[in-house]
Amino acid sequence: EPEVTQTPSHQVTQMGQEVILRCVPISNHLYFYWYRQILGQKVEFLVSFYNNEISEKSEIFDDQFSVERPDGSNFTLKIRSTKLEDSAMYFCASSEWDEEQFFGPGTRLTVL
Amino acid sequence: DQQVKQNSPSLSVQEGRISILNCDYTNSMFDYFLWYKKYPAEGPTFLISISSIKDKNEDGRFTVFLNKSAKHLSLHIVPSQPGDSAVYFCAASATGRRALTFGSGTRLQVQP
């Protein structure tokens, strides 16, 4: 069964450093998303991406964040200058159209 | 942000019995609702969804009921199995938007 994959599973970085989280969505899906879950809190929407542009973003997704689909398979989330409060599980998701979103296993980001 | 609320943090049921997980929402613009199951160290797994034009959707052992006037939905699992033990998240999206708003989750434990 097709699935969303994410790398790395765990990323440790120093405050102020740039990180790139990678995702491979399900191959025939058209919409791509990033969510995050800070420990003990709800899963929160960050951004959705369609046809090579951002279609929706939350207040969390400020200028420190960017997304890209550099080739036909990868979808990346870049955090330019990480803060302590960026420590969270980051989930990538994809959907075929106006349907349920399928989530990857997540990347645990730890900012020291 | 309390637009989607799951007021029971945990639920314990006996194997073979019915599990009922509840979810309330406040945003009247929500028109599509989903339930996800999550195991530790994994991403949310889609279970079942319902559109606001329906009041019930069934898929095998899982049934979701939607009461729009009460802004309430519930997930019924019959019969419950030990493998159903996980955290269950209710999520909702608004008309024309793809961002999912998640509840805080209910941890279901099914006792053998």
Side-chain angles (χ1 to χ4, degrees), chain A residues 17-75:
Chain A
Q17 294 296 304
E18 175 184 285
V19 294
I20 298 176
L21 309 183
R22 292 183 166 78
C23 168
V24 178
I26 295 172
S27 62
N28 64 330
H29 284 187
L30 302 175
Y31 287 87
F32 315 115
Y33 314 84
W34 284 100
Y35 290 81
R36 77 173 185 191
Q37 186 178 28
I38 295 171
L39 188 63
Q41 297 187 22
K42 294 183 180 183
V43 176
E44 302 172 289
F45 169 78
L46 293 178
V47 65
S48 64
F49 192 85
Y50 170 73
N51 199 26
N52 280 319
E53 60 182 31
I54 291 173
S55 53
E56 211 175 324
K57 62 181 181 178
S58 72
E59 291 176 354
I60 302 167
F61 194 87
D62 61 22
D63 292 343
Q64 292 298 312
F65 292 89
S66 63
V67 289
E68 193 178 30
R69 188 152 162 86
D71 53 43
S73 59
N74 289 283
F75 179 52

Side-chain angles (χ1 to χ4, degrees), chain B residues 3-74:
Chain B
Q3 294 190 74
V4 177
K5 288 185 270 192
Q6 293 177 257
N7 291 318
S8 298
S10 64
L11 175 67
S12 182
V13 299
Q14 288 294 124
E15 181 178 4
R17 306 293 287 269
I18 184 171
S19 295
I20 300 176
L21 297 104
N22 294 302
C23 178
D24 297 294
Y25 62 96
T26 56
N27 188 342
S28 57
M29 297 299 291
F30 286 151
D31 64 352
Y32 187 59
F33 304 89
L34 310 91
W35 284 94
Y36 284 85
K37 177 170 77 172
K38 187 178 181 303
Y39 295 115
E42 294 184 13
T45 301
F46 170 74
L47 274 178
I48 192 168
S49 62
I50 188 165
S51 162
S52 60
I53 62 172
K54 295 185 174 182
D55 53 19
K56 176 183 173 181
N57 190 24
E58 196 170 348
D59 184 1
R61 297 187 296 115
F62 302 91
T63 303
V64 56
F65 295 92
L66 176 62
N67 182 334
K68 289 185 288 292
S69 60
K71 292 191 175 70
H72 176 84
L73 61 155
S74 60

